Amino acid sequence: MTRSVIGLVLLLAWPAHILLMAFASWGGTRPARRRRATAPRPAQYWIIVPCLNEERVVDRTVYAAAELSTPGTPVKVLVVDDGSDDDTGVVLSMIVDPRIQVFRRTAPLARQGKGQALNAAYRYIRQVTAEAGLHPEDVVIGVIDGDGRMEPGALDTVAEYFRDPRVGAVQCRVRIHNRKHTLAALQDLEFAAIANAGQTLRDRVNAVALGGNGQFTRLSALGILGENPWSECLVEDLELGLRLHLNGVRIRYIPQVAITQQGLVDARRLLRQRTRWAQGNLQCLRYAPKLIASRRVGNAALLDMMYYLLAPWLTIVGLVAAPAGLALAWRDLDAALVGATIGTLFGTMAVAGLFWALVHRASLGDASLWRCVTAGVAYPFFLLIGLLATLRGLGRHLTGRGTWAKTDRVIEEPA
């Protein structure tokens, strides 16, 4: 019986941790307090829109980025066409707006990864900024993917965070704009509720992670990292955040401002995306020794960073522990315990999903209760996709495979 109990504990450790984190971060969905601003707003904002075969979505994104410009937050949009071979170039050539510039990359420099496209844009902006006589502290570079959207006026809130001279970067909340589809609704639940709670808690311990969409960084902070702030890592956004933390740059999270992106509505494409993320996370594990040794990373921040860097490996441990727990129970011929354990496992994950669905409904209120509940009930199956993606990512990482095909977008109405 003792072995059965041990197996049960091992089997339920992961879902119990999920529930513990969920309840502990309930209050974290509220915006964190900001310190009193002591400096003027940055003088110039550049929005980089990296594009590779984005003909289906890019015009809406570029126009929306240009509309972020206000008298207090002047915006210039730099669209990086990274060697597209569809009609992205044709769509961009039809855009006539003095706030929008197109930066075209061709072979052999093009298609070397999103990080290299961003680095090329960064160096161009740095040169233009120097020629204009602007100090790097007064220039902010934002990254919006080809499917990203922000509401006009959103930069006013972003600008307020940058009035704190200690802040070198901020990350906005992420939402899914085609969330009427159940699979996309699950991704919105993940980003808008679960990730939002985690990021809000990280904001309080100075451990905010940067995402690929809706990140804004001072030009001076990027300059600390040299000629190539972004790397060839499969999650170049996460790695950029880790490098900034190691250099003592303060990163804030803004739950009040959301950037929306297109959710994947095909399970195979979602699996491929999450496999890439899992593999990229494994690549970032090499920063663990530097984070542990750094005096610029606090204990609470280190604990959080180590958790999400080790998460893929912890998932593998969970996969080993679960069958071990069932095997111990079955060896004791306690079939009832095995059945109860499986039922409890699924029920625990379902409760976690319903909990986050209620958080989503209560904090945002822009989705029907039925849609939120449906996403919550489907949450365990969503976790299984992530579990399979982790295994695939580990396999690719161990075999040294690092090339990826771009995920296709869903067709949207033209702007």
Side-chain angles (χ1 to χ4, degrees), residues 186-200:
L186 277 163
Q187 294 163 69
D188 193 56
L189 178 70
E190 175 190 36
F191 288 123
I194 303 173
N196 174 72
Q199 286 279 62
T200 304

Side-chain angles (χ1 to χ4, degrees), residues 49-209:
V49 182
C51 294
L52 175 57
N53 294 342
E54 301 282 10
E55 63 178 358
R56 297 176 175 178
V57 294
V58 69
D59 59 337
R60 294 176 64 90
T61 297
V62 172
Y63 281 121
E67 289 303 313
L68 293 173
S69 185
T70 68
T73 58
V75 168
K76 293 183 179 180
V77 181
L78 185 62
V79 188
V80 183
D81 183 359
D82 196 31
S84 299
D85 54 17
D86 64 351
D87 285 338
T88 296
V90 176
V91 174
L92 293 176
S93 67
M94 298 173 65
I95 297 176
V96 180
D97 190 314
R99 299 169 296 182
I100 301 171
Q101 301 179 43
V102 178
F103 186 89
R104 302 188 187 278
R105 285 166 57 82
T106 58
L109 298 178
R111 299 197 177 205
Q112 299 299 313
K114 179 181 176 182
Q116 294 305 318
L118 292 173
N119 286 332
Y122 156 73
R123 291 190 291 267
Y124 172 80
I125 293 171
R126 185 181 60 179
Q127 177 183 347
V128 172
T129 296
E131 293 172 353
L134 290 174
H135 194 280
E137 288 282 339
D138 296 326
V139 179
V140 171
I141 294 179
V143 177
I144 296 180
D145 285 341
D147 60 340
R149 314 274 194 277
M150 294 183 72
E151 293 295 326
L155 286 188
D156 287 330
T157 303
V158 173
E160 286 301 305
Y161 276 76
F162 278 114
R163 290 186 65 190
D164 185 341
R166 298 168 301 175
V167 173
V170 301
Q171 174 63 48
C172 299
R173 193 178 198 165
V174 177
R175 298 290 310 274
I176 300 297
H177 53 243
N178 59 329
R179 52 185 177 269
K180 291 183 178 181
H181 190 283
T182 300
L183 193 56
L186 277 163
Q187 294 163 69
D188 193 56
L189 178 70
E190 175 190 36
F191 288 123
I194 303 173
N196 174 72
Q199 286 279 62
T200 304
L201 289 174
R202 289 172 185 154
D203 186 71
R204 295 172 180 173
V205 298
N206 194 18
V208 172

